Amino acid sequence: MKIEIWSDVACPFCYIGKRRLEEALSTFEHKDEVEIEWKSYLLNPDMTTDADKTLNEYLAENKGWTKEYTQQVQGHVSDMAAEVGLEYHLDKAIPANTRQAHNLIQLAKTKDKGEEMEEVLFKAYFTEGKNLDDVTTLVKLGTSIGLSASDIEATLNNSAFNSSIEKDIYEGIQIGVKGVPFFVFDNRFGISGAQPLEVFTRTLRQTHEESQS
């Protein structure tokens, strides 16, 4: 079984959805037969990184929210994350364009480290408050999972995987992806959003059953 996941590392629900899928897989009898491929998706491709602002300030300014309402919304998201064992510090998150982070993910995929890279980038953004549009930061994150610093620098300096990113986005458009996370199971079933655990569990079983018929 192959599961394709369209995701952006600045999407709080993508990290939550990742954890729910992982929990569903932990009790799935055929988990060793499952292959996962992460696909790039840019929630805000034209965004300008501003390391001098917090994500809360960015949201308040760009959505016209009050400071109090922004904190309320972010608190709700953090509570959702806590339910699956994640610790969000959204007040420290830096609003950043994620294209370079996706270049790093695409490089990691060529080394069979896409899953590891996704996890490290999610944690860096939502928990550690790191700037995912900073080359030095991305080099440190990439080398932490065994990628070559020279390969990372060459990739980021030349945006080497931009065509791969655009290919993923185009494929998503073709199958109707309008938001992330979006999970596709064996080209048979799709799950949009960080759905409850039982939705992932049911879809895993149903996909396996249909593949055997």
Side-chain angles (χ1 to χ4, degrees):
M1 183 192 306
K2 183 173 184 179
I3 303 175
E4 297 167 293
I5 309 170
W6 274 263
S7 166
D8 192 351
V9 287
C11 164
F13 303 106
C14 291
Y15 201 7
I16 294 169
K18 181 177 186 291
R19 279 294 184 272
R20 288 186 176 157
L21 173 63
E22 289 168 349
E23 186 176 354
L25 283 169
S26 70
T27 58
F28 182 55
E29 314 85 72
H30 308 283
K31 62 183 177 183
D32 293 337
E33 302 168 23
V34 176
E35 173 192 356
I36 294 177
E37 180 180 359
W38 290 86
K39 299 280 194 175
S40 291
Y41 187 95
L42 298 175
L43 284 170
N44 195 345
D46 300 318
M47 180 178 184
T48 300
T49 300
D50 189 344
D52 294 324
K53 289 182 181 176
T54 66
L55 182 60
N56 285 3
E57 290 170 337
Y58 173 84
L59 289 172
E61 289 179 13
N62 285 269
K63 292 184 176 292
W65 295 348
T66 64
K67 179 181 178 180
E68 292 72 24
Y69 181 71
T70 303
Q71 291 175 337
Q72 179 183 341
V73 170
Q74 297 291 67
H76 175 66
V77 173
S78 296
D79 289 344
M80 286 182 63
E83 290 174 4
V84 295
L86 296 173
E87 185 178 337
Y88 278 10
H89 295 292
L90 298 178
D91 55 324
K92 297 179 181 178
I94 296 173
N97 188 299
T98 58
R99 182 172 289 274
Q100 286 288 55
H102 282 286
N103 267 286
L104 181 55
I105 291 165
Q106 295 287 347
L107 171 64
K109 285 169 63 175
T110 69
K111 310 294 184 181
D112 295 322
K113 291 179 176 288
E115 179 86 10
E116 291 177 76
M117 198 71 259
E118 289 279 348
E119 179 66 29
V120 167
L121 287 167
F122 276 133
K123 184 178 180 181
Y125 187 81
F126 291 108
T127 303
E128 299 169 348
K130 293 183 178 177
N131 182 356
L132 298 192
D133 194 25
D134 176 71
V135 172
T136 300
T137 298
L138 292 175
V139 169
K140 288 180 180 178
L141 295 175
T143 55
S144 75
I145 66 165
L147 298 180
S148 158
S150 59
D151 285 349
I152 297 169
E153 289 170 355
T155 293
L156 300 180
N157 289 334
N158 298 291
S159 297
F161 289 94
N162 268 350
S163 59
S164 298
I165 294 170
E166 296 303 328
K167 182 174 180 288
D168 283 354
I169 293 170
Y170 178 76
E171 288 178 358
I173 291 171
Q174 296 306 299
I175 63 171
V177 176
K178 297 179 180 178
V180 288
F182 195 91
F183 305 79
V184 176
F185 293 70
D186 260 358
N187 290 319
R188 297 171 186 266
F189 303 104
I191 294 178
S192 179
Q195 297 292 329
L197 173 62
E198 54 267 25
V199 175
F200 287 98
T201 301
R202 183 174 63 247
T203 305
L204 282 169
R205 292 174 179 166
Q206 189 174 358
T207 303
H208 182 264
E209 289 170 4
E210 291 209 4
S211 71
Q212 301 302 305
S213 60

